[in-house]
Amino acid sequence: MTALSVRGLSHAYGGVPVLTSVDLDVEPGQVVAVVGPSGAGKTTLFRCLTRLVRADAGALEVHGRDLQQLEGAALRDARRDLGLVFQSYNLVRRLTALQNVLVGRLADVPTWRVVLRRFPAHEQALAASCLDQVGLLRFAHTRADRLSGGQQQRVAIARVLASRARVVLADEPVASLDPASAGAVLAALRSLATSHGKAVVCSLHQVDLVAGFADRVVGLRDGRVVLDVPAARFTPDVARDLYTPELERTPAR
Amino acid sequence: MTDLQERSGVGLVPVPPRPAQPLRTRVSRWLLSLIAVAGFVGCLRLADVDPIELAQGLPTMAGWLVQAFPPSTEALDTLLLRAAETVAIAVVGTTFAVILALPLCVLAARNTTPSGWVRLPVRLFLNGLRGVDAFVFALLFVAAVGLGPFAGVLGIALHTWGSMGKLFSESIEALPNGPLEAAELTGAGKVKTASFTLLPDVLPSISGIGLYLMEFNIRASTVLGVVGAGGIGQELKNAVDLLAFPRLATILLVILVMVTLVDQLSARLRKRLA
Ligand SMILES: Nc1ncnc2c1ncn2[C@@H]1O[C@H](COP(=O)(O)OP(=O)(O)OP(=O)(O)O)[C@@H](O)[C@H]1O
Ligand SMILES: [Mg+2]
């Protein structure tokens, strides 16, 4: 079954259209890179996909469940199948790496245990193995604000992994990282798809990183999907064309 | 060419002249100043401010000061017990307020409770509590539960509940939104998110607020006894009623020492938290 299916998604902020009729299908185990110039609507797309923002129109299905119409407890439950990795990591700074990964388990742990911070042993073990998979087990008891940016981003990925979400979204997860950390983070995201069969949608600004990472590339410009090709066909020429402003583009010959 | 120009290689540009202020702005400024001065004069009248009366009263007060020496040491142990009672009222009252304020502050903060249907009534309630002074609450509770420190505890707790709830909710609103959104997306409910991801981030600021209010309440508790709500204020009122100036001097000294000690302690603790 298609992991994520988006049909005709449109959204406007204060009357200004930001997304216009976006269609997107992602299969389990597939990595899709979303590229496009600044202001194209990538972040808005992710916010609509997670229902942090409710899109004005369109259909949104996650593993066959219609997310667009849900509210309250039903929405909370459906969101458990979605994970989002933010550009700014969004860890709780004063919790340890392990505790931050446990945040991904909150929905499944009884409230009293969360309040008293008494997580069952198997939950802690699960969180530890998620940290291990992103190569950070030895930082388990380090506070998040003592970790480097790349390490924090990998903790955020471990948090999504722990949540068992089958659809993982990542909004410019490597934008503020050096090349080595960026490589480690993208590899961790890639392995979510390869080893865990998750559907991964990730926006990127570094088009040169796309080739070794994604299976498919979706190009957004001015809120519209203008490109949807296998990664192999995302050549430097295609990339340059996508990032060239409308006015400077030469008409098709 | 100036030195700066040479060094920076940038041509200097004259600062453009300020636009002239329109007549209307200047006139309205004058009017506003006039109104402010007139208002203050009116307040002076209403407050019966009379320097002559102050001057006439000064010798009497100087006489009291002379009579107050040496301060009396009679029944010092009762005084110290009353001072301890004052601290106890503030400590218990503030602690109750913390317990009451923690759940409500989450409901009063815009980022954790976007719905106005819940947030605005909660805010109104907290503002109502904050608007009534602990002293006034204590006055009511003395009538309801009888004389004694418990009435003081209730007064302090209720008023502080309001102030604390408001201050706590403001520190929640100052938090970055990202970690909250991340927790929300895991599908966990409000109680779990607030206790596990919100609390650690606001803990430093809310413990600072708690300590500050505790310190404030110890000062506020010194007068609760005047309305019969326990603590050293009761002794203070007795001494004034009997014009027992040496005793009054001792009481004021005890209060001064107590408040200074508490201020120092609280300042140290808060420095540690920061
Ligand atoms: N909360 C908002 N209110 C109003 N307008 C917004 C809001 N968020 C985004 N926009 C507008 O929507 C458009 C798309 O923004 P978005 O953040 O989705 O772009 P993006 O593709 O993520 O850009 P970048 O690569 O710079 O992150 C922009 O023109 C932006 O100004
Ligand atoms: Mg963006």
Side-chain angles (χ1 to χ4, degrees):
Chain A
M1 189 194 286
T2 306
L4 175 71
S5 163
V6 178
R7 285 286 166 278
L9 198 76
S10 298
H11 189 68
Y13 278 123
V16 182
V18 175
L19 290 177
T20 310
S21 198
V22 170
D23 293 339
L24 182 66
D25 285 294
V26 188
E27 303 301 324
Q30 194 176 42
V31 177
V32 174
V34 177
V35 294
S38 193
K42 302 180 294 292
T43 298
T44 308
L45 175 64
F46 287 121
R47 294 185 75 79
C48 290
L49 293 182
T50 46
R51 280 287 309 274
L52 285 172
V53 167
R54 188 190 196 130
D56 297 338
L60 165 60
E61 278 186 12
V62 176
H63 281 280
R65 178 140 63 160
D66 181 356
L67 218 69
Q68 190 65 358
Q69 308 306 331
L70 300 181
E71 282 303 335
L75 176 62
R76 271 209 299 280
D77 191 53
R79 270 176 169 168
R80 293 171 55 178
D81 232 352
L82 275 176
L84 178 60
V85 178
F86 299 80
Q87 175 178 345
S88 45
Y89 329 132
N90 289 349
L91 301 181
V92 183
R93 298 190 316 271
R94 295 171 58 88
L95 291 182
T96 64
L98 190 72
Q99 286 171 322
N100 266 292
V101 178
L102 281 168
V103 169
R105 302 295 317 142
L106 287 185
D108 286 329
V109 178
T111 305
W112 70 268
R113 283 185 170 275
V114 174
V115 173
L116 299 180
R117 305 209 180 172
R118 291 271 171 278
F119 285 84
H122 67 273
E123 297 288 0
Q124 300 203 34
L126 173 65
S129 83
C130 294
L131 263 186
D132 194 27
Q133 285 175 51
V134 295
L136 290 179
L137 190 56
R138 66 202 169 91
F139 293 105
H141 300 297
T142 307
R143 253 172 59 163
D145 54 6
R146 308 261 155 82
L147 296 171
S148 77
Q151 290 165 341
Q152 289 188 47
Q153 194 58 295
R154 280 186 281 157
V155 172
I157 291 173
R159 177 173 65 188
V160 168
L161 190 58
S163 76
R164 299 213 179 102
R166 287 181 292 175
V167 176
V168 175
L169 312 170
D171 188 10
E172 292 182 34
V174 297
S176 41
L177 303 182
D178 67 75
S181 310
V185 166
L186 290 186
L189 277 172
R190 172 79 239 177
S191 86
L192 292 183
T194 325
S195 333
H196 300 271
K198 298 185 191 294
V200 176
V201 184
C202 174
S203 71
L204 282 175
H205 265 310
Q206 300 88 327
V207 288
D208 51 315
L209 291 176
V210 168
F213 166 65
D215 302 309
R216 226 173 90 209
V217 180
V218 169
L220 266 189
R221 189 167 55 217
D222 300 333
R224 291 173 192 276
V225 175
V226 293
L227 185 81
D228 190 342
V229 295
R233 295 208 358 237
F234 187 63
T235 58
D237 280 345
V238 176
R240 202 173 315 119
D241 197 39
L242 178 69
Y243 279 88
T244 311
E246 194 89 41
L247 294 173
E248 295 167 24
R249 223 170 299 139
T250 46
R253 271 159 288 179
Chain B
M1 223 187 211
T2 68
D3 190 38
L4 181 65
Q5 270 174 304
E6 258 168 51
R7 271 186 288 140
S8 62
V10 175
L12 290 187
V13 171
V15 176
R18 274 193 177 193
Q21 284 180 346
L23 187 65
R24 254 184 57 199
T25 330
R26 274 183 291 167
V27 168
S28 64
R29 250 185 222 172
W30 268 105
L31 271 177
L32 274 179
S33 320
L34 255 174
I35 291 172
V37 170
F40 185 70
V41 170
C43 290
L44 278 179
R45 278 280 177 85
L46 280 176
D48 265 347
V49 174
D50 187 346
I52 298 175
E53 269 182 40
L54 175 63
Q56 284 169 349
L58 277 181
T60 323
M61 287 177 73
W64 292 352
L65 205 62
V66 174
Q67 287 177 49
F69 277 93
S72 100
T73 52
E74 187 198 338
L76 192 64
D77 48 345
T78 2
L79 264 194
L80 291 180
L81 187 72
R82 292 289 179 208
E85 201 174 279
T86 298
V87 175
I89 292 172
V91 169
V92 176
T94 314
T95 309
F96 283 172
V98 171
I99 295 168
L100 293 168
L102 274 180
L104 277 203
C105 67
V106 178
L107 296 178
R110 181 177 289 272
N111 49 351
T112 46
T113 308
S115 151
W117 289 107
V118 183
R119 190 179 70 245
L120 296 179
V122 170
R123 283 203 175 184
L124 201 68
F125 175 71
L126 291 175
N127 272 328
L129 290 176
R130 209 167 60 97
V132 182
D133 197 82
F135 194 75
V136 177
F137 271 130
L139 198 62
L140 296 174
F141 279 117
V142 165
V145 303
L147 292 169
F150 184 48
V153 167
L154 292 174
I156 291 281
L158 279 192
H159 172 73
T160 310
W161 185 8
S163 319
M164 211 174 244
K166 186 180 151 76
L167 292 172
F168 282 5
S169 75
E170 278 166 8
S171 51
I172 292 180
E173 282 175 352
L175 286 181
N177 232 345
L180 285 179
E181 283 183 344
E184 190 189 334
L185 282 181
T186 63
K190 274 236 147 62
V191 179
K192 291 184 197 175
T193 336
S195 62
F196 197 65
T197 65
L198 199 65
L199 199 58
D201 269 345
V202 287
L203 206 56
S205 71
I206 68 177
S207 10
I209 293 167
L211 272 174
Y212 171 77
L213 286 179
M214 174 92 72
E215 178 192 323
F216 180 89
N217 281 340
I218 287 174
R219 271 174 277 143
S221 304
T222 55
V223 294
L224 286 177
V226 174
V227 294
I232 201 164
Q234 220 135 345
E235 301 291 328
L236 190 74
K237 185 174 182 313
N238 292 344
V240 173
D241 285 350
L242 299 172
L243 298 179
F245 296 113
R247 179 113 179 119
L248 193 59
T250 318
I251 295 171
L252 292 178
L253 280 175
V254 168
I255 292 179
L256 195 68
V257 170
M258 177 176 85
V259 167
T260 313
L261 280 179
V262 168
D263 282 4
Q264 293 292 322
L265 189 72
S266 159
R268 277 204 191 170
L269 281 175
R270 274 187 283 146
K271 207 176 245 171
R272 273 231 182 140
L273 285 172

